[in-house]
Amino acid sequence: MNVLAVALADESQRFIKGYPPKGARLFLQPNIEVMRLAALLRPGDDLRYLDERVEPSEPDSSLTLVHIGLGQADRARELLHDWTARGCVPVVFGPQATSWQNAAPSWCGPRVVGDLTDVWPRLRADAESGSLQPLYRASGNPGYVAPRPIKLNIEMDSDRQTIQFVRGCFCPEPVKPFCPEHLYYGTNTLMRTPEEIIGEVITLPRKRIHLLDDDVAALPDYYHEVFNRLRNYHRQWVVNASDRLFDHPRLIRLLAKAGTKIVYLNESFLSGRLERAVTDHRLVHRLYRRVKSLQTSKMLVGARLTMPAQPASPVNYDKIASVLRQIDLDFIEPRFLATDGSLARVTYRPMVTDTEPAWLKNRFYSMETIADRMMRRPRRVGFFTTAVYLLPYSAAYRQSFLEGLPWP
């Protein structure tokens, strides 16, 4: 069977013929759900992957699957109207399609609610018989399918390796609505065995691995056991964690020994603290000490933060940017919420002022600030981590911001 999988792109990043793709190559990574689907294809099947960030999407006679990310409903409606008029009826899946549940818009054709890999056997059988159903509902019980490399456009980053130890959502409550794992599985989780994880890790050809789990501090004993067994395989890890990580110093030391190079702290680290830190120097020092404790263990520290795009009272983002620099983070990934609770697209424009949310990234990823971190960081994390992780990631964040992308 021939399968065409299309990943939609936001308008700000959609490919324009004759122009190079927008965004840093480091963040032009293939759709993880399509890579999982690739592992389920039978011998002789052919999968063609089109990513709207790097190439235009065109329908063909294959079974067509369209991934709709959150906030991409307008683009999906435009594409489906066009393709349906040309005789192609795609099956849509992804977080946005799942969020509709039983109230899909009228223009939406066959769709998947939940994890595509769970319904793939039924979907494939119906496609072969020519009787696609209007709705395929996944069970809601997490399963794990190891991502399989797929043929990519040359502009995309083909070196990224990902893995999950635990399926399910461990995000802070305010950001759960934006988490695909929460949309697909709710409160259900799946913990893989250390033996299964090790078996997958040793098959990965490159050293750098991104752990997709939401929070390595959610199950400290479990992650301690897994990383204790993985430390002998000499891999380099990028992981996510919550503020609870600082309650487990043994786990921090083990993550460092196992080769962790970047720890991304989720919203729990700065939520409710960032605004107070503007006037509370003791809080700034406490947050700085926590960041430094990870950096002295030779790990870079990123932080994700979610703020209202239109707060009730005026905000001086320059003061908040100064606090972020005093805390001495290496990376930030800010997201801003619109009044209706959706993600607001805050992007760079010339002459941005300190009363606009974009000022945070403008200050944090300025050339002066990046150079300052590059000069100081080798004393804590070493020259290798500074050169191989801090520099390329900082440059990638800066490039994506200056090209007008709302997030990496």
Side-chain angles (χ1 to χ4, degrees), residues 12-315:
S12 60
Q13 200 171 9
R14 199 170 309 142
F15 177 75
I16 300 175
K17 191 173 182 179
Y19 292 86
K22 286 186 177 181
R25 189 172 186 272
L26 185 65
F27 298 141
L28 289 175
Q29 297 138 4
N31 186 284
I32 187 66
E33 295 188 57
V34 175
M35 295 179 69
R36 290 175 181 142
L37 173 65
L40 300 180
L41 299 182
R42 299 174 184 174
D45 287 349
D46 179 65
L47 173 66
R48 188 160 71 99
Y49 174 60
L50 295 180
D51 194 305
E52 286 197 324
R53 295 173 297 175
V54 296
E55 57 195 322
S57 55
E58 289 291 336
D60 61 22
S61 58
S62 307
L63 168 61
T64 303
L65 307 171
V66 176
H67 179 273
I68 311 178
L70 293 174
Q72 295 177 344
D74 289 343
R75 171 55 183 161
R77 180 177 64 250
E78 174 188 342
L79 181 140
L80 264 63
H81 277 159
D82 178 38
W83 287 13
T84 301
R86 297 161 67 177
C88 175
V89 182
V91 179
V92 301
F93 70 104
Q96 185 66 65
T98 298
S99 70
W100 290 327
Q101 294 295 328
N102 297 322
S106 59
W107 49 263
C108 182
R111 63 191 176 95
V112 175
V113 172
D115 189 345
L116 174 64
T117 60
D118 183 67
V119 303
W120 174 247
R122 282 182 284 149
L123 177 57
R124 180 197 170 94
D126 290 348
E128 288 182 326
S129 64
S131 57
L132 285 172
Q133 302 300 307
L135 177 64
Y136 293 88
R137 188 179 296 276
S139 68
N141 295 316
Y144 183 77
V145 177
R148 177 181 174 183
I150 55 180
K151 185 177 180 180
L152 299 173
N153 184 290
I154 194 172
E155 300 286 355
M156 300 196 73
D157 180 13
S158 59
D159 294 333
R160 181 181 170 92
Q161 298 181 137
T162 60
I163 192 174
Q164 275 185 281
F165 299 170
V166 178
R167 295 301 308 269
C169 175
F170 292 90
C171 295
E173 199 64 37
V175 297
K176 283 183 181 292
F178 310 113
C179 175
E181 297 281 300
H182 177 72
L183 290 169
Y184 293 167
Y185 310 124
T187 59
N188 297 327
T189 59
L190 169 69
M191 298 170 58
R192 302 172 64 201
T193 65
E195 292 76 17
E196 181 185 356
I197 293 167
I198 292 171
E200 182 179 352
V201 167
I202 62 178
T203 66
L204 298 177
R206 290 176 289 277
K207 282 184 172 293
R208 186 181 305 180
I209 305 174
H210 291 250
L211 180 62
L212 300 180
D213 297 27
D214 290 329
D215 181 11
V216 296
L219 304 164
D221 294 336
Y222 170 81
Y223 285 102
H224 191 282
E225 178 185 359
V226 174
F227 276 106
N228 190 45
R229 298 178 65 171
L230 287 172
R231 59 189 293 187
N232 296 323
Y233 294 91
H234 306 293
R235 300 304 174 102
Q236 298 168 13
W237 297 89
V238 177
V239 306
N240 305 302
S242 68
D243 190 49
R244 290 173 292 191
L245 179 64
F246 300 101
D247 298 330
H248 305 282
R250 287 179 61 247
L251 179 57
I252 293 176
R253 291 193 294 270
L254 181 59
L255 289 173
K257 291 178 181 178
T260 301
K261 300 301 179 183
I262 304 177
V263 176
Y264 280 98
L265 299 171
N266 66 24
E267 287 80 358
S268 64
F269 178 61
L270 293 175
S271 178
R273 296 170 176 162
L274 190 56
E275 292 79 3
R276 290 191 292 115
V278 172
T279 56
D280 188 342
H281 297 295
R282 288 180 298 179
L283 178 56
V284 172
H285 185 68
R286 186 158 63 248
L287 295 173
Y288 165 76
R289 296 291 297 177
R290 289 194 164 190
V291 170
K292 185 178 179 181
S293 69
L294 297 179
Q295 292 169 341
T296 52
S297 295
K298 308 299 182 183
M299 297 183 289
L300 297 170
V301 184
R304 299 185 174 98
L305 53 147
T306 301
M307 304 174 63
Q310 297 175 333
S313 57
V315 174

